[in-house]
Amino acid sequence: MKSGLKASDFLRRQRRSDLQEHFLFWYPGEKAPRASKDIASRLVEAYADPACVQTRFDKLPASQRNFLRALVTEPGYVAPLSKVLKNAVGKKIPQYEIEGILKALATNGFIASIRYAPKSQGGVKFFSLVAEVGEILRKVCETEAVSYVVISLEDFLKGFSRGKYELFMKRFLGPNFPRGVRGRSEAVKKLSAPAAVRKRLKNVADRELRTLARRAIREHGGIMRLSRRVRQLLYDDPARRSAWKRALEDNLIGSIGILDLKECGIEIEEEVFAVFAEVVAEAELSEQVPEDEIETVVGMDLDFFRDLTAFLRHLKTRKVRLCGSGTFYREDAKIVLEHSVFSDSIDYSDDEIMNYLDATARGLKLIEHEHFVKLTRKGRIWEHMELIDKARALVELARDWLNEGGADFHMCHLRPIAMEHLAGLKPGRWYRIRTLVTLAINTYITRLEELGVAEMYGNYKFARSKPGLKLRNRMHEFQEDLFWWLRNRVFPLGVIEFANCDDEITAFRVSPLGAQVFASQTREPKAAKTIIVNPDFEILLFPEGNYFKLMADLHEFAIKEKKDQITHFRITEHSIKEAVFHRFEVEEILKILEKHSKTPLPQGVEFCVLDWGNSLSVATMSEVVLLEAESVEAFRRVKNIPAVEKLIVREISDRAAVIKRLPDKRRLAKELKPMGVYLR
């Protein structure tokens, strides 16, 4: 048996520069003594101090800690590299990290390499841990009971043998528990119900453990880092750590263990107190938002839809060129935002609104950027699409929206998961923002393996030098990004509403439009009489029946003024003429008002709508090409050529016509020459 190096022997072999590096690691922030023997003396003290060794060990990356855990299991804390890697605890140490691990541990004064050269060993290099450090770490690892925590209750139950599974199910659900693969999901749902969890928590004898479990659920989304006090408590009393872990797992509440997600690009690798994700989800979804936290309700309705349509109409009637910076000229922005209702509803600057409209239109492939901003075929038919189809297209775009400057690695997965949970919420019921964020993050963590995130992250790291690629990899950054996305990309679409209290967003709910978009409301509400038209041209829209479809029509021929419990619109001469110009007949406007009005339509309003609409005259201006011949016969020959015939817009005389564009002059001249017609 080979024996490990004593601290004094280990330090005697080190150069002064190595001793100084060791000292900086073991005594961060302190200045090293001048003499080598003084440095060595201080290091011997550190190697013999359990608290110091524990602190320095905890600061190491997970892969280095795993290496040391494997080494302390060897006799004398000495072993060849192959044996250490074979004994690695928990996750396998990646091959590409080994060289870095050995170098870091040697630099920090943990290990030294020793080459034994007898024939039986073939000159194999062995690695030895400082003996005093090894003694302390062996006790730490014995009490630590290293295990990698499982976040999902369903995954935890999959690890049970059939007999153990049935024993637990009979204990908590009775003899008639759900069976089979499908039955496991049903059993998980029953076990995660708040009442069932409260009942199982009462079985936990330790009061402090019950308190920690409740805090983990209410304040930390189920994944709680252990405080310094709790960590010290578990270190001083190893039996308590085992008892807590057993109590949590035996009552199917959670566990205590290492959560290491670094290989997936998430910055967490430490011991955590974890409550199963399904338990946390049911607790969050069952929480009621107090009425005193709902002072005002804010919703965007169809404001963004209206402004997007106005933006596309502007592009139909005007050539729009972008500035060198890629933004719109102020003149175009002023025209689009002149009657904007979206700008009155959200705290965006004019440039931000124009950029958002442009990015949305490009994302939906409604426009394309060349020398000018041009409408696509899809952009030309957008305003004629059904409202629900528009809403679903916008929600799908928001789900896959990328951060400015490039794709964020984790958000590409987190946002679709958040939208999936959003679609499953009950319409009209208030939830805390934290609820959706917690559900999305916990679901993502439980799906990391299913999504293949570790492999994708491995490929992603090699591409991170490319411009535009970003990585937000901490839990609090996930929370911040999801809230930003909910506030700035989902809320503007009118599918959710916010509750405010003291100018702070306290809760959200799925709106009636969101219920239809997410298909939680499969049948479309019946049309109802939901408006009152006043003699002063004000229209009051009440939130009853299928009022979103009516609201879309009102946005076409009236101007939205404000919204409280009801939405206020006003008919103006300009709004009627705009509606008639773009898509509505005057009679159609009156028919909509009469059909949905709770009271008879005021005669003055009816007369003015008819007068304003019928007084509209439209002039058309477009760029075309004039085709003209010297004689009627020459013109007849030219216009009968297929390449010219399909381009004719209108014949303006027996010798001239307007065509859409200039045809291929060389080919046309070649066809006309045998007919005796020469083309200029």
Side-chain angles (χ1 to χ4, degrees):
M1 180 190 297
K2 297 178 175 60
S3 58
L5 285 171
K6 293 285 185 183
S8 54
D9 296 332
F10 169 72
L11 295 171
R12 195 180 301 117
R13 299 172 55 183
Q14 305 296 306
R15 293 175 299 182
R16 186 169 181 274
S17 58
D18 295 332
L19 291 173
Q20 288 174 328
E21 283 193 277
H22 301 343
F23 188 91
L24 289 174
F25 176 78
W26 289 90
Y27 293 99
E30 283 193 39
K31 188 176 180 181
R34 288 179 176 273
S36 296
K37 64 177 182 179
D38 294 335
I39 298 175
S41 176
R42 292 291 305 279
L43 288 171
V44 169
E45 291 175 15
Y47 290 159
D49 183 356
C52 182
V53 172
Q54 170 85 64
T55 303
R56 294 296 96 201
F57 177 72
D58 289 343
K59 292 287 184 183
L60 295 175
S63 55
Q64 293 181 31
R65 292 202 303 270
N66 284 350
F67 186 92
L68 293 177
R69 287 190 188 107
L71 190 53
V72 296
T73 62
E74 294 297 321
Y77 318 121
V78 181
L81 180 62
S82 58
K83 197 167 184 184
V84 177
L85 296 179
K86 186 177 179 181
N87 294 341
V89 181
K91 296 188 178 182
K92 184 180 177 182
I93 298 173
Q95 192 70 29
Y96 64 85
E97 287 190 22
I98 293 171
E99 186 177 346
I101 290 170
L102 296 174
K103 185 176 180 181
L105 291 176
T107 301
N108 294 333
F110 278 100
I111 64 171
S113 61
I114 306 169
R115 183 175 292 280
Y116 294 91
K119 292 181 181 179
S120 59
Q121 297 293 340
V124 175
K125 184 184 285 187
F126 282 69
F127 292 91
S128 174
L129 184 60
V130 176
E132 288 84 346
V133 175
E135 284 296 319
I136 295 171
L137 287 183
R138 181 175 58 79
K139 294 175 183 176
V140 169
C141 293
E142 285 174 357
T143 58
E144 193 178 46
V146 175
S147 62
Y148 285 85
V149 74
V150 178
I151 300 299
S152 166
L153 175 55
E154 187 162 359
D155 290 343
F156 183 70
L157 292 175
K158 284 177 183 176
F160 284 12
S161 65
R162 182 175 178 180
K164 186 178 179 181
Y165 176 77
E166 290 184 356
L167 185 67
F168 270 71
M169 293 303 103
K170 286 176 183 177
R171 177 184 169 194
F172 294 117
L173 299 179
N176 298 320
F177 65 88
R179 299 173 188 273
V181 177
R182 292 183 180 178
R184 183 185 286 121
S185 298
E186 189 181 341
V188 167
K189 190 163 185 65
K190 289 183 177 181
L191 289 166
S192 304
V197 175
R198 285 194 296 270
K199 187 176 178 181
R200 296 201 303 278
L201 264 176
K202 289 179 182 178
N203 298 335
V204 177
D206 193 309
R207 184 177 178 181
E208 184 166 10
L209 180 57
R210 293 199 303 270
T211 303
L212 286 172
R214 293 189 184 102
R215 278 189 57 206
I217 294 171
R218 294 172 184 167
E219 301 172 21
H220 299 274
I223 300 173
M224 183 171 71
R225 290 176 164 91
L226 298 182
S227 66
R228 184 176 297 176
R229 185 190 69 79
V230 172
R231 292 180 69 179
Q232 191 63 45
L233 179 69
L234 298 181
Y235 176 77
D236 294 338
D237 187 1
R240 176 174 285 198
R241 179 196 299 271
S242 301
W244 278 15
K245 181 179 174 67
R246 188 166 55 252
L248 290 171
E249 293 180 353
D250 286 353
N251 288 286
L252 302 181
I253 293 167
S255 187
I256 297 175
I258 303 294
L259 182 62
D260 181 8
L261 303 178
K262 272 207 160 183
E263 65 178 10
C264 296
I266 300 174
E267 199 65 29
I268 184 168
E269 48 162 352
E270 60 184 274
E271 191 173 25
V272 297
F273 187 109
V275 176
F276 293 127
E278 296 89 340
V279 172
V280 175
E282 292 298 325
E284 289 281 358
L285 292 171
S286 66
E287 184 179 355
Q288 298 286 339
V289 179
E291 289 186 9
D292 60 359
E293 292 187 20
I294 305 172
E295 285 184 356
T296 57
V297 178
V298 184
M300 294 296 290
D301 295 332
L302 301 179
D303 295 355
F304 182 71
F305 290 71
R306 184 264 173 207
D307 279 17
L308 180 59
T309 300
F311 174 67
L312 297 175
R313 284 175 177 169
H314 177 65
L315 297 178
K316 267 186 182 179
T317 57
R318 182 185 176 96
K319 274 192 172 183
V320 175
R321 188 191 293 272
L322 295 174
C323 302
S325 60
T327 57
F328 288 85
Y329 283 99
R330 292 194 178 278
E331 183 182 355
D332 290 305
K334 185 178 178 182
I335 294 171
V336 171
L337 300 176
E338 184 179 5
H339 300 291
S340 169
V341 288
F342 181 62
S343 59
D344 298 332
S345 310
I346 198 164
D347 187 21
Y348 277 11
S349 67
D350 286 355
D351 285 343
E352 286 175 322
I353 292 175
M354 288 301 296
N355 290 339
Y356 184 26
L357 289 168
D358 177 55
T360 301
R362 280 188 288 122
L364 293 172
K365 294 183 171 52
L366 305 178
I367 62 172
E368 55 189 24
H369 286 188
E370 293 179 359
H371 298 296
F372 296 91
V373 182
K374 292 184 178 180
L375 281 177
T376 63
R377 181 179 175 278
K378 191 175 178 182
R380 293 184 181 280
I381 64 171
W382 172 259
E383 65 180 292
H384 303 291
M385 289 171 59
E386 290 291 330
L387 173 64
I388 196 69
D389 294 330
K390 291 180 184 178
R392 284 179 177 148
L394 286 167
V395 164
E396 188 175 330
L397 178 66
R399 181 194 67 194
D400 300 326
W401 194 283
L402 302 181
N403 283 343
E404 295 299 325
D408 187 294
F409 179 80
H410 293 295
M411 291 308 124
C412 293
H413 302 291
L414 272 167
R415 290 176 183 174
I417 290 172
M419 192 68 83
E420 177 188 321
H421 281 294
L422 187 62
L425 299 179
K426 292 180 180 178
R429 181 180 171 182
W430 290 107
Y431 298 92
R432 297 201 182 280
I433 302 286
R434 182 196 69 217
T435 296
L436 184 65
V437 170
T438 298
L439 292 177
I441 292 174
N442 285 356
T443 302
Y444 179 49
I445 292 173
T446 61
R447 292 185 188 174
L448 288 172
E449 187 174 350
E450 176 190 331
L451 295 170
V453 173
E455 185 180 349
M456 285 190 283
Y457 177 65
N459 297 330
Y460 178 86
K461 283 197 296 186
F462 292 106
R464 282 190 64 191
S465 58
K466 294 180 181 179
L469 290 178
K470 300 188 290 183
L471 185 66
R472 292 168 64 81
N473 60 358
R474 300 178 188 275
M475 292 290 190
H476 71 88
E477 291 176 331
F478 295 168
Q479 294 164 357
E480 291 167 4
D481 187 273
L482 284 171
F483 178 74
W484 178 91
W485 169 76
L486 199 67
R487 173 72 178 84
N488 295 283
R489 290 295 177 262
V490 180
F491 174 67
L493 307 182
V495 294
I496 62 171
E497 296 172 331
F498 285 145
N500 285 351
C501 182
D502 296 331
D503 296 326
E504 292 286 334
I505 297 173
T506 55
F508 77 99
R509 68 182 177 188
V510 176
S511 69
L513 176 63
Q516 293 182 50
V517 170
F518 298 133
S520 54
Q521 185 174 301
T522 53
R523 298 179 66 180
E524 193 173 281
K526 292 181 179 179
K529 294 187 177 296
T530 55
I531 62 172
I532 293 177
V533 184
N534 291 325
D536 62 351
F537 300 97
E538 183 184 41
I539 302 175
L540 306 178
L541 173 63
F542 295 84
E544 302 166 3
N546 191 11
Y547 73 98
F548 276 105
K549 193 169 183 179
L550 175 59
M551 181 183 283
D553 290 337
L554 292 177
H555 269 299
E556 294 287 348
F557 57 79
I559 296 171
K560 181 182 173 182
E561 293 189 325
K562 63 177 180 177
K563 180 186 176 181
D564 35 52
Q565 295 298 320
I566 56 178
T567 309
H568 300 250
F569 287 87
R570 188 172 298 280
I571 296 173
T572 66
E573 181 177 0
H574 174 78
S575 66
I576 292 295
K577 288 184 175 180
E578 281 288 309
V580 172
F581 173 70
H582 287 295
R583 65 180 285 198
F584 277 96
E585 298 289 337
V586 183
E587 291 74 15
E588 189 180 354
I589 295 173
L590 292 174
K591 186 178 177 181
I592 290 170
L593 293 174
E594 289 169 353
K595 179 181 178 182
H596 295 281
S597 181
K598 294 174 180 281
T599 58
L601 198 62
Q603 289 185 349
V605 172
E606 184 177 355
F607 175 80
C608 287
V609 168
L610 281 168
D611 182 52
W612 291 335
N614 291 330
S615 66
L616 178 71
S617 297
V618 179
T620 303
M621 182 172 66
S622 57
E623 291 183 351
V624 292
V625 175
L626 178 65
L627 173 65
E628 191 174 17
E630 291 181 350
S631 67
V632 175
E633 180 59 27
F635 178 69
R636 185 184 64 77
R637 292 174 185 173
V638 175
K639 77 172 186 177
N640 286 338
I641 293 175
V644 176
E645 189 176 16
K646 66 181 182 182
L647 295 176
I648 292 176
V649 176
R650 185 181 299 115
E651 291 187 29
I652 54 178
S653 74
D654 56 359
R655 293 188 298 109
V658 171
I659 60 176
K660 294 178 185 177
R661 63 177 184 275
L662 201 63
D664 187 330
K665 289 184 72 173
R666 180 177 292 182
R667 184 176 295 176
L668 183 60
K670 192 174 181 181
E671 288 189 54
L672 290 173
K673 201 168 186 179
M675 302 179 190
V677 179
Y678 283 66
L679 186 67
R680 280 184 183 152

